[in-house]
Amino acid sequence: MGKAGSIWVAWVRRKYLSRSTFWALNVNSQSISWSFRKILKLRPTAARFLRIKVGNGDDTFFWWDPWTPFGPLLDFLGKDAPAKLGIPLSSLVKDVMLNGGWNLPPARSEAFLQVLCYIISIEPSQIWNAIRASKPPVPWAPIIWHKKQQL
């Protein structure tokens, strides 16, 4: 959902998206307004037209957002994939990276092998450099950090 300043967007964010991603909301929930349920029913159609720019991965849900050509990975790999692969359902893309590389389990199915082949083709160092705090060295650093500990 956009970050527009409308009252409706603010209401939707607070009421429905404060505890869940747009893609995970239950379209049959009676706690969701009739009009918003109609919007939720259009998710599969809308997803075909979305192109997500992952950036540093802190705004992109690993399982829910259609950030790969396979669409939402939860749909492509199955509802049991988070448990099988040990990647929590609420994970962001940045959560499956470690020290500038991908931190993914080995493929356990043909479908996950396809996903892995795609993901490892993405240059993670670009994402890592975007999410890590990078600052110029301070003059007092040698007093605190031993040379062998500096990165």
Side-chain angles (χ1 to χ4, degrees):
M1 304 231 85
K3 295 186 180 184
S6 77
I7 292 172
W8 187 80
V9 169
W11 177 78
V12 166
R13 284 180 171 273
R14 183 172 186 146
K15 177 128 176 106
Y16 302 125
L17 303 176
S18 62
R19 286 175 259 135
S20 179
T21 173
F22 175 73
W23 303 102
L25 291 173
N26 183 351
V27 72
N28 297 317
S29 172
Q30 294 304 309
S31 66
I32 295 176
S33 71
W34 175 87
S35 59
F36 198 64
R37 279 194 308 242
K38 292 290 185 185
I39 292 171
L40 293 178
K41 287 180 181 179
L42 295 172
R43 288 181 293 194
T45 303
R48 293 192 325 245
F49 300 100
L50 287 178
R51 297 294 175 260
I52 293 181
K53 184 177 179 181
V54 175
N56 64 13
D58 67 352
D59 284 331
T60 307
F61 285 92
F62 183 82
W63 292 109
W64 296 102
D65 290 334
W67 65 281
T68 71
F70 309 104
L73 293 178
L74 190 63
D75 295 340
F76 185 72
L77 297 174
K79 304 292 183 204
D80 59 343
K84 281 184 177 178
L85 300 172
I87 301 172
L89 194 56
S90 61
S91 294
L92 299 170
V93 171
K94 74 172 187 171
D95 297 333
V96 296
M97 292 185 292
L98 181 64
N99 297 327
W102 295 104
N103 186 25
L104 295 163
R108 295 184 179 183
S109 69
E110 184 64 32
F112 192 54
L113 181 59
Q114 291 176 341
V115 171
L116 279 178
C117 289
Y118 172 77
I119 291 175
I120 62 172
S121 73
I122 299 171
E123 182 62 44
S125 63
Q126 295 170 4
I127 298 172
W128 170 248
N129 287 331
I131 64 172
R132 71 183 175 105
S134 179
K135 298 180 181 176
V138 292
W140 45 264
I143 298 170
I144 297 174
W145 300 107
H146 189 275
K147 276 191 172 202
K148 290 187 179 181
Q149 292 176 339
Q150 288 182 340
L151 298 175

